[in-house]
Amino acid sequence: MDVPRLQDLLDLAEPDADRFLGRTQPMPKLRLFGGLLLAQSIAAAGRTVADDRPVHSMHALFVRPADPTDLVEYTVDRIRDGGATSARRVIARQGGVEVFTALVSFQRGRDGVRHQAEFPRATEPEELLPLHERFADSDVPVPDWWRKPRAIELRHVDDPPYPPPVEPSDASRHLVWMRAPEKLPDDPLLHACALAYASDMTLLEPVFLLHGVDRHAKGLQLASLDHAMWFHEDLRADEWLLYDQDCPVAAGGRVLGRGNVFDRSGRHVATVAQEGLLRIER
């Protein structure tokens, strides 16, 4: 598979007012990567909002699996434009069938109290190998997908769960450096979209480490159900960001992933939460 260029994936066509078309990317399984739907929905909503209102939150629901070989149509409903806040509803469809929906909110920043989560200690990204290079010349039994570069470069601070540990481990914190490998334009919306794309790549990995589960095991079902993001500070997705992730609860065949995103100066730039489906046939 060719490495997708993130900037191209986020460049939506606009055939009509408040209607956008997003291209897709090849995937090893016939299911579109959820991070692309997240990113393109923010891009579509942002095209209908004034530039002085940056995105500050998104709440999304994955309705049904999307086809990675077909274009995605996004329709934007302009719910509200207030004095400082704009709200948009985005519905993604393929073949006229809804596959994804999101509420995206934009707001001009205001003065107020400030505090943030503690910046975790982590090995610097320059001292770590990219994920695809870890397995490039190894005989570790992972799909070829993991041996190829991607639109987002990942550098795991600790061992990634491919393959999983033989025994479950205490993975209360799972740290991953990430960035877009190519230089992106100075467009805050584009960088927020790129982070949304990246946020869906590793968020549920702690559950595999906690339980010693092989994510490629036969009979394993894994799917994103919903996803929420809050953007706290301006950020650059083409510079290293540290993703501090954990999985506080798993029950009813579902798991909850949480993540704090920091830039290298230690600023807490975003927070992420996602519930996923995880079932294993014994």
Side-chain angles (χ1 to χ4, degrees), residues 33 35 38 58 178 194-203 227 229 243 245 261 272 274:
F33 171 52
L38 298 169
M58 176 190 62
M178 57 189 183
L195 177 56
Y197 180 99
S199 71
D200 192 35
M201 298 182 78
T202 62
L203 187 55
H227 195 99
M229 291 190 71
Y243 204 7
Q245 305 155 102
V261 183
V272 187
Q274 181 183 102

Side-chain angles (χ1 to χ4, degrees), residues 202-217:
T202 62
L203 187 55
L204 299 183
E205 286 185 353
V207 75
F208 298 113
L209 296 168
L210 279 165
H211 295 276
V213 173
D214 182 354
R215 69 177 299 164
H216 304 295

Side-chain angles (χ1 to χ4, degrees), residues 12-21 47-48 78:
L12 306 181
E14 188 175 1
D16 299 299
D18 297 348
R19 187 169 74 90
F20 303 87
L21 293 177
R47 294 268 288 272
T48 71
R78 304 186 185 215

Side-chain angles (χ1 to χ4, degrees), residues 136-208:
D137 299 317
S138 75
D139 57 0
V140 173
V142 295
D144 287 342
W145 169 247
W146 299 107
R147 294 186 168 92
K148 299 180 183 297
R150 304 189 191 184
I152 293 292
E153 182 179 348
L154 302 175
R155 299 195 180 192
H156 288 67
V157 174
D158 300 305
D159 289 335
Y162 343 103
V166 176
E167 297 293 335
S169 64
D170 179 12
S172 58
R173 172 173 279 181
H174 185 51
L175 300 172
V176 180
W177 289 101
M178 57 189 183
R179 69 172 179 182
E182 78 272 14
K183 184 73 172 178
L184 299 177
D186 295 332
D187 178 358
L189 179 66
L190 180 63
H191 289 266
C193 292
L195 177 56
Y197 180 99
S199 71
D200 192 35
M201 298 182 78
T202 62
L203 187 55
L204 299 183
E205 286 185 353
V207 75
F208 298 113

